[in-house]
Amino acid sequence: MEENMEEGQTQKGCFECCIKCLGGIPYASLIATILLYAGVALFCGCGHEALSGTVNILQTYFEMTRAAGDVIDVFTMIDIFKYVIYGVAAAFFVYGILLMVEGFFTTGAIKDLYGDFKITTCGRCVSAWFIMLTYIFMLAWLGVTAFTSLPVYMYFNLWTICRNATIVDGANLCLDLRQYGIVTIGEEKKVCTSSESFIKMCDSNELNMTFHLFVVALAGAGAAVIAMVHYLMVLSANWAYVKDACRMQKYEDIKSKEEQELHDIHSTRSKERLNAYT
């Protein structure tokens, strides 16, 4: 009988511990972190592969070659974009972890897990710093989303030309890279529907794959923007919680001091009455 009671108490203690642990998880920050990681992974992975496909298309079908020397051409810019993608992936992996840690420490359930804690000025400054930094990153991701839409627009035009060339017989449509600033005005790099390279490009899977990779990268950048907005809402709520907790802490301190003063006054009067009685 006693063993069954001890087992029941042990199971009850484990259950309560699990409930407290689950209650201490900042679910809003967790959802935003998952969305951020998914968006950054799609943007970086698909963007990197789409840039590699773009290099192959330019070299194979547009007959472009890398410029000799230190001249900055489209291939050099693509290499720079790839390095930027590496940096973005690493930076936001770390930033997502920092925001999760901040969410854990500003969750109200932490107080139940570890008891009363002091809301310091440093903690409020950290929360305000994360809000400002997240807002800047949100604006940056908006710019990245707008920039990513440019290659999607270019590839959509190319895909439309391929589609119209197969529908309309005898149509002579051309795509000139000078229209998009990829090459200088003096260079003439274009393909027309009547050329053999254009037919091969439209029939290849490389064009279709690169186009869809850029579309997925654009969707990933949009997901990162949504994650940043979600983080802003979470951080603002955490800031309000920290601010209210700070006010409540000051109120409790003042109340404790007043109660202590009243207790001291009551004790002094009791002693005076006892002395007068004796």
Side-chain angles (χ1 to χ4, degrees), residues 48-60:
H48 183 275
E49 293 302 316
L51 290 174
S52 299
T54 300
V55 172
N56 293 331
I57 290 174
L58 292 176
Q59 290 178 341
T60 304

Side-chain angles (χ1 to χ4, degrees), residues 20 55-56 103 119 207 236:
K20 287 184 178 181
V55 172
N56 293 331
I119 305 298
L207 175 64
S236 299

Side-chain angles (χ1 to χ4, degrees), residues 5 9 32 36 42 44 48 50 56 64 67 72 80 89 102 125 128 134 151 153 163 171 175 185 188 197 225 259 270:
M5 291 179 63
Q9 291 178 354
L36 176 64
L42 288 176
C44 294
H48 183 275
N56 293 331
M64 292 184 62
I72 298 178
I80 293 174
E102 197 272 345
C125 292
T134 304
Y153 172 73
R163 184 169 177 269
L175 178 68
I185 300 297
E188 185 176 353
S197 60
V225 173
E259 290 178 353
S270 297

